[in-house]
Every structure is written in C-alpha cells, then in structure tokens.
Amino acid sequence: MAAKRDYYEVLGVPKESSKDQIKDAYRKLALQYHPDRNKSPEAEEKFKEISEAYAVLSDDEKRRQYDQLGHAGFDQRYTTEDIFRGADFESVFRDMGFGVDLSDIFGSFFGGRGGFREERVRRGRDLGYDLEITLEEAARGAGKEIEFPRVEKCDVCGGSGASPGTSPRTCPTCGGTGEVQDAQRNRFSVFVRVTPCPTCRGKGVIIDSPCQNCRGSGRVRRERTISVKIPPGVDEGTQIRLQGQGEASPDGGPTGDLYIVVHLLPNRNFERDGDDLVYRLVVGFPQAALGAEVEVPTLEGSAIIKVPSGTQSGDVIRLRGKGMPRLRGYGRGNLLVRVYLTVPEKLTQRQKELLEELAKEFGQPVQPKGRRLRL
C-alpha cells in the first residue's frame, strides 16, 4: 500500500491555515473531482483523498493529534470510520450548489453502500500521558505508577445508563439506528441529509429510568492508578500504547487506549545521540600531548580510559557497548568520549618560563608580557 500524502499537501494549504481556509480549499478541489462532475477513473480516488484530508483537518481534536503524531501515530488511533465520523460535508456540498448521497460516495471506504452510516457504535476516546524519566531509567527499564482521570463504565448500571432492574428501550423514531434521513431531489441529483435522531439524541435507545450514579450516561469519571512498564532503550518522544486503558465508549463500543509519551530528563554527564551516549572530557595540553589515563563516568559506574599521546581537541574515544540498549534490536550503542583541550587562565612565573622554553623548542613565537611580538 502506498504511503499516505501529508493532509496539508493534499489540500494545498499551509499548516497554519484556518478552518475557513481549509474548507475553501476543499470546496475548490471537490468541485473539480466530485463524482457528479468528473467521470475520469482517477477522479474517484482523488475525491476520496481530499475528503479524508478535509475530515481530519476540519476537526480541531483530530487535527491536533495529526499535527502531533503524523500519519503513523494518527492511523493507529483512528479507523477510517472514525476519521469521517462527524465531518461537516453537508454544508460544503450545499454551498457548492448540488446535493450528494454520502452513502454512494463514501460507501466504498467501508466495504459497501451505506456502510458509512451503519457503523454507529463509537470507540472510547484515547488518552495521552506525559511521563518524565531519567536517562538511567531509560537505560535499564523501569516500572512506574501513574495516576490520571478517565471516563469509565458505570459499575452500578453496567454502562446501560438505566437504573438497576430496568433496561433501555429501542427508540421508536429511528428504530435504533440513532439517525434520521431527509431526502431532497432536484433535476440533477438527490441530496440526503442524515442527522442525529431528535428523540433519542443519536443513541438509538430511550432510558425511562436513568441510573442515579451516572445520571443515565452509562459512564462516570474516576481517578485511576496503573503500573507502566518502561522497556530499556526508550528515547525522547517514545510512545507506549496500553490497549484498553483509555476511556469507555459512550455507546457500548470498545474502550480507547492510553498512550504514554516518554520524556527524558537532562543528564549532567551525557548527551544522547540515538543509541550512543556522548561525554565531554576536558584535558590539559600535557595530557593530550604525552598521553594519560583518566577516569570517565559510564551508566554502570566509572571506567579508566587511555588518552593517546598527540590527541587533538575534538577527537573521539569510543567505548563499545557502553551506550544505550537498542529498543527494537539487540546489543547496545557506544559511549563516545569527545576530548576538549583546556587552556589555563592563570600561570605562575615558573609555568610561564617553561612554556616559553617549550615554544622556542617548537619554533612557535609567543609574546611574553612587556614585549612586542615581531612578525
């Protein structure tokens, strides 16, 4: 399957576009590729693509999640039905001056005519949680307890919304579908307007005796504490999906998921570069010139390394296997010790004399205090 194009690119709008600008862009493209106007084979696929982009970018919550997660993360959270559910195509097509039967146009998305409207059960909302951990916890893995609010199924009525001992009854107006249709015809097409049932407010059932605990909603809000296992090797922005730990569905559908977003706290010793760790080692000129053994920190404690004679500022000493564990693989990255030379700001008289003698040996002119350098 070909990778999806960026939704903003599909509509030809910048990321900072307003909702009105997005709607205007979609209207222009829909006029060009609408099935009633364009009978070419590629027009149908193009119309589907621009309609999907509009469905996401015209919805504030879906757009926010798409901007944050991109296609990969967004598509994990939303099915195709979820993407199109609630999108305002009706006003767009009405403004264009002709009607459209949405089941004809979008039915192929869901495996047949009418499938867009038949799927009424909604999935519970996904939740996100930002979790801060140390670099050491990211390296060895960790167990964390987190506390967060979520909407859960009412344990008194079992999620039905009806008082114990009673049951909801099927709505006589919509027959349990939760929707009503109003068809309007003109010379060129049929415009079908699908709206939530006014009797049951889109639920498909009527509750005569609401549950007192949840007031008929079937759901209650609670603080929940759960344990989270952080695998070794996680990086900044890593997402951990906990299936079924999101919010309960408002109408008996599957529960949403909880996404843990990992954030690494700054570390005083190391910077992270993928699976490698970088440590800045500051040495003096004699150590770099003559070589030395120095102590450096690692994730497992300190280690002694050799600084070869003639080491230059910016050289890297590699300690293999002393970096971060690979999250989706075997082994570990490396610890990169990057060497930097330090120049003393204050010298004793003896130190100055020694450096002047060394400069003469190297044939490098210096400017002792009180003398002018000749070029």
Side-chain angles (χ1 to χ4, degrees):
M1 180 182 293
K4 289 184 178 180
R5 289 201 298 153
D6 178 76
Y7 286 142
Y8 294 99
E9 177 187 345
V10 168
L11 295 182
V13 295
K15 290 193 67 173
E16 61 274 12
S17 297
S18 66
K19 293 181 72 171
D20 287 340
Q21 290 172 323
I22 288 171
K23 187 173 184 179
D24 289 342
Y26 174 66
R27 184 185 292 111
K28 292 176 183 178
L29 292 171
L31 280 169
Q32 182 178 353
Y33 294 104
H34 191 280
D36 284 358
R37 289 174 171 257
N38 194 327
K39 303 300 183 182
S40 62
E42 61 272 12
E44 181 179 353
E45 289 303 317
K46 183 67 176 178
F47 186 76
K48 293 177 184 178
E49 184 183 40
I50 62 173
S51 297
E52 180 176 330
Y54 173 70
V56 172
L57 299 184
S58 62
D59 184 288
D60 291 337
E61 176 63 18
K62 291 174 185 173
R63 182 179 181 179
R64 183 187 67 79
Q65 294 193 25
Y66 174 74
D67 289 343
Q68 179 183 4
L69 304 172
H71 269 304
F74 184 83
D75 292 345
Q76 289 179 355
R77 298 190 178 195
Y78 287 91
T79 64
T80 308
E81 292 94 330
D82 293 333
I83 288 175
F84 280 89
R85 183 176 290 111
D88 178 24
F89 291 101
E90 177 187 337
S91 64
V92 176
F93 296 138
R94 184 174 61 246
D95 293 345
M96 287 161 57
F98 55 86
V100 63
D101 188 338
L102 295 183
S103 64
D104 280 342
I105 293 180
F106 299 121
S108 58
F109 281 126
F110 315 111
R113 177 182 174 92
F116 180 67
R117 295 195 303 266
E118 290 169 1
E119 182 55 60
R120 185 179 59 83
V121 175
R122 291 169 290 174
R123 183 172 175 271
R125 189 166 70 96
D126 291 335
L127 298 176
Y129 187 94
D130 294 303
L131 178 63
E132 292 185 337
I133 63 173
T134 65
L135 184 67
E136 289 78 10
E137 289 174 325
R140 64 175 180 264
K144 294 285 189 178
E145 281 197 348
I146 64 171
E147 184 177 353
F148 63 99
R150 73 179 179 189
V151 175
E152 300 180 354
K153 183 188 297 185
C154 175
D155 53 7
V156 175
C157 65
S160 70
S163 296
T166 66
S167 299
R169 59 185 176 90
T170 302
C171 175
T173 302
C174 65
T177 65
E179 298 171 336
V180 292
Q181 299 181 10
D182 178 29
Q184 299 179 4
R185 298 178 179 272
N186 58 32
R187 292 186 302 169
F188 304 104
S189 60
V190 178
F191 178 79
V192 179
R193 183 183 182 187
V194 181
T195 60
C197 175
T199 303
C200 65
R201 298 182 179 179
K203 293 184 176 181
V205 295
I206 295 176
I207 300 174
D208 296 313
S209 178
C211 170
Q212 295 301 309
N213 187 52
C214 63
R215 298 182 180 181
S217 68
R219 303 189 301 168
V220 292
R221 190 172 184 85
R222 291 196 179 98
E223 291 288 330
R224 180 63 62 184
T225 300
I226 64 173
S227 297
V228 180
K229 185 177 180 181
I230 308 299
V234 293
D235 202 348
E236 173 67 30
T238 296
Q239 290 192 30
I240 301 172
R241 178 190 179 198
L242 300 182
Q243 190 171 5
Q245 293 291 347
E247 294 195 341
S249 166
D251 43 28
T255 304
D257 300 330
L258 172 64
Y259 288 82
I260 306 296
V261 182
V262 175
H263 301 284
L264 298 186
L265 294 169
N267 187 277
R268 65 177 183 176
N269 289 324
F270 306 112
E271 294 180 4
R272 184 166 179 173
D273 184 9
D275 294 326
D276 294 335
L277 295 177
V278 180
Y279 175 72
R280 295 169 59 94
L281 174 65
V282 178
V283 299
F285 171 75
Q287 293 174 305
L290 301 176
E293 289 187 348
V294 297
E295 186 178 64
V296 297
T298 73
L299 289 173
E300 292 79 24
S302 60
I304 302 297
I305 66 169
K306 291 184 178 181
V307 178
S309 60
T311 294
Q312 304 296 307
S313 187
D315 284 356
V316 173
I317 301 172
R318 187 186 308 268
L319 300 184
R320 296 190 179 277
K322 293 295 185 179
M324 297 292 292
R326 295 187 173 93
L327 180 60
R328 295 179 179 86
Y330 298 98
R332 297 175 59 169
N334 303 314
L335 174 58
L336 308 179
V337 180
R338 184 163 288 128
V339 180
Y340 294 89
L341 300 189
T342 181
V343 177
E345 296 180 357
K346 294 182 179 180
L347 296 171
T348 65
Q349 184 60 36
R350 175 59 178 161
Q351 290 168 341
K352 292 178 182 178
E353 292 171 355
L354 290 173
L355 286 175
E356 288 176 7
E357 291 180 15
L358 183 60
K360 290 178 181 179
E361 288 290 328
F362 282 120
Q364 298 174 350
V366 295
Q367 184 180 2
K369 188 174 181 181
R371 301 180 187 176
R372 177 170 294 181
L373 181 65
R374 291 184 179 181
L375 301 179

